[in-house]
Amino acid sequence: MLCRVTITERQRSCFAAHPDRSPLLVVDLDVVRQRYEDLVAALPGVTVFYAVKANPLPELVSMLVELGSSFDVASIGEIEQCLAVGAPPERLSFGNTVKKADAVRRAAELGVTRYAFDSECELEKLVAHAPGSLAFCRILCDGFGAAWPLSRKFGCAPDVARELLLEAARHGLRPGVSFHVGSQQFDPAAWDRALATVADLRAELLAEDVELELVNLGGGLPGTYLEAIRPVDEYGSDIVAALRRRLGPDLPPEMLVEPGRYLVADAGALRCEVVTVARKSTTDEHRWVYLDVGMFSGLAEVMDEAIRYRVLTDGADRPTGPVVLAGPTCDSADILYETVDYQLPLDLRAGERLYLQSVGAYSTTYSTIGFNGFPPLDVEVLG
Ligand SMILES: Cc1ncc(COP(=O)(O)O)c(C=O)c1O
């Protein structure tokens, strides 16, 4: 079975109630609630830490606090946002491997007890400022099978992780391991490959009498874009089987997952407007369709055409032809899709409204504060 998303009735009513606002992103929290409940059911025994960076809207974070979610945070700013809407500090995990010493000190003062690290330099900050905390070392992942790989910048090789974790334990920190299989990961087997590495590392640490207290399965669960994806319960059963195979029967005391995209992407529908339709040559059948939304107004993940939003028009059965989609700024980087095959109606005109689906993740905070004089992305939240 493959997944489909639609613009919800509530989102349609919201667009109708605000005819003059464009571009407008409408985030339906009912969709987030459903995704959260589906994930909790799919991953028994694994605690969900929502990756706040995917969409930090206060109403959304507050709803997840009420549902019982925990939170992966990337900065003191995100910690304060979570605390402000009632998340207790023991439900936060400081998952950024790049932190100023001051940020660690402040997080510890605020009561945060879980920290990611992947280098000696970061470990020293944890030893100095977050004594006794759960320190989990992020290991490198190749990111194969993911649309947005997150490889290279974060994590270290397992032999480095081994030395760092032994050092962490010697300093009284509680050792854990994390990985991220790459965002928008199409292949559930990616977790099995990473867990095989974790299992080897766990055995090496055990040989030195050091027990892993936490395994963090990271993010990577997909949203519903142009490509077909498998439903979350299939990811769940594959991941649970991999956990048992690699780390069973005595699983580490704490296991967590940090979904961002999966929880919020499909909750966002974006309505935008066609500003210009242009033909560049008599021989190229592609039309250039310029929208009032683009790379700098929230859709940064179109970079390298990695994340491919579904685009809808009103009215069925209109003959279509190929298009290049671009944003409204005077910057030549502001192109959404030039190589991926997008087709739009041949009678498309300036002023027509289009809808982009699954824009709820990595959009609201990615918009610039005023590049070319365009305002940040306009957002409505349906609670
Ligand atoms: C540490 C960490 N955890 C979780 C996530 C969420 O990843 P995803 O949106 O693919 O679920 C990210 C995303 O960058 C991350 O950096």
Side-chain angles (χ1 to χ4, degrees):
M1 194 190 89
L2 299 173
C3 299
R4 286 261 165 270
V5 280
T6 50
I7 296 174
T8 65
E9 276 313 312
R10 278 157 36 104
Q11 285 168 323
R12 285 189 192 285
S13 308
C14 182
F15 286 131
H18 300 283
D20 299 329
R21 286 164 68 182
S22 182
L24 175 63
L25 175 68
V26 180
V27 178
D28 187 340
L29 296 189
D30 280 355
V31 177
V32 181
R33 186 180 298 110
Q34 188 63 56
R35 294 287 186 280
Y36 177 81
E37 285 167 2
D38 291 348
L39 182 59
V40 169
L43 285 175
V46 179
T47 308
V48 174
F49 280 65
Y50 169 56
V52 175
K53 61 178 80 71
N55 190 330
L57 288 169
E59 300 90 329
L60 193 161
V61 177
S62 167
M63 183 192 76
L64 286 171
V65 171
E66 277 169 36
L67 288 175
S69 181
S70 295
F71 299 90
D72 161 58
V73 289
S75 62
I76 291 297
E78 286 192 351
I79 291 173
E80 287 172 348
Q81 278 173 278
C82 289
L83 297 178
V85 294
E90 58 275 15
R91 273 163 52 188
L92 305 185
S93 169
F94 204 158
N96 193 343
T97 52
V98 186
K99 302 176 285 303
K100 290 183 176 172
D102 266 355
V104 178
R105 188 183 306 123
R106 180 80 187 118
E109 276 168 15
L110 290 169
V112 177
T113 55
R114 292 182 200 78
Y115 297 85
F117 72 104
D118 61 3
S119 65
E120 181 79 40
C121 179
E122 285 289 315
L123 178 57
E124 283 166 11
K125 296 174 201 169
L126 302 187
V127 170
H129 304 298
S133 60
L134 240 161
F136 54 92
C137 187
R138 181 160 166 175
I139 53 172
L140 279 164
C141 258
D142 55 32
F144 289 155
W148 195 267
L150 297 173
S151 51
R152 293 181 18 250
K153 181 171 171 186
F154 311 104
C156 60
D159 56 337
V160 176
R162 175 183 176 279
E163 294 312 310
L164 290 174
L165 285 168
L166 291 174
E167 181 79 5
R170 277 196 288 276
H171 283 92
L173 296 170
R174 298 156 58 208
V177 175
S178 76
F179 56 82
H180 194 305
V181 294
S183 199
Q184 188 68 8
Q185 175 56 258
F186 295 108
D187 181 11
W191 279 267
D192 183 61
R193 291 196 295 276
L195 284 168
T197 308
V198 173
D200 291 344
L201 186 55
R202 185 190 195 196
E204 288 177 32
L205 292 171
L206 211 50
E208 306 285 336
D209 283 331
V210 170
E211 294 218 31
L212 276 188
E213 294 199 29
L214 170 148
V215 172
N216 177 343
L217 305 167
L221 296 166
T224 316
Y225 304 116
L226 217 51
E227 303 85 356
I229 54 159
R230 312 236 315 260
V232 75
D233 53 340
E234 290 186 19
Y235 278 83
S237 54
D238 282 9
I239 293 171
V240 167
L243 277 171
R244 291 211 189 97
R245 182 164 52 245
R246 303 297 183 184
L247 303 181
D250 297 318
L251 296 170
E254 193 173 344
M255 284 180 304
L256 54 101
V257 65
E258 294 174 342
R261 186 182 303 286
Y262 159 79
L263 283 180
V264 295
D266 295 349
L270 184 139
R271 183 183 63 193
C272 60
E273 184 175 316
V274 175
V275 182
T276 297
V277 182
R279 255 185 203 291
K280 303 264 183 199
S281 95
T282 48
T283 52
D284 185 356
E285 60 170 338
H286 284 83
R287 290 156 297 151
W288 280 65
V289 174
Y290 299 89
L291 307 174
D292 62 357
V293 68
M295 172 83 97
F296 301 103
S297 37
L299 307 184
E301 288 202 316
V302 298
M303 199 189 303
D304 298 329
E305 308 191 23
I307 296 299
R308 299 155 181 191
Y309 301 109
R310 283 167 195 267
V311 181
L312 305 179
T313 51
D314 282 329
D317 299 332
R318 294 160 71 189
T320 61
V323 293
V324 173
L325 285 167
T329 64
C330 297
D331 192 307
S332 59
D334 192 7
I335 294 174
L336 282 74
Y337 304 112
E338 197 171 2
T339 60
V340 179
D341 180 28
Y342 275 86
Q343 302 264 332
L344 284 175
L346 293 170
D347 61 359
L348 191 76
R349 297 284 177 268
E352 184 169 340
R353 296 288 172 83
L354 300 182
Y355 297 87
L356 272 56
Q357 286 185 310
S358 303
V359 186
Y362 304 108
S363 51
T364 57
T365 47
Y366 249 144
S367 53
T368 65
I369 56 171
F371 185 51
N372 276 221
F374 292 104
L377 190 56
D378 187 11
V379 184
E380 277 287 322
V381 187
L382 307 176

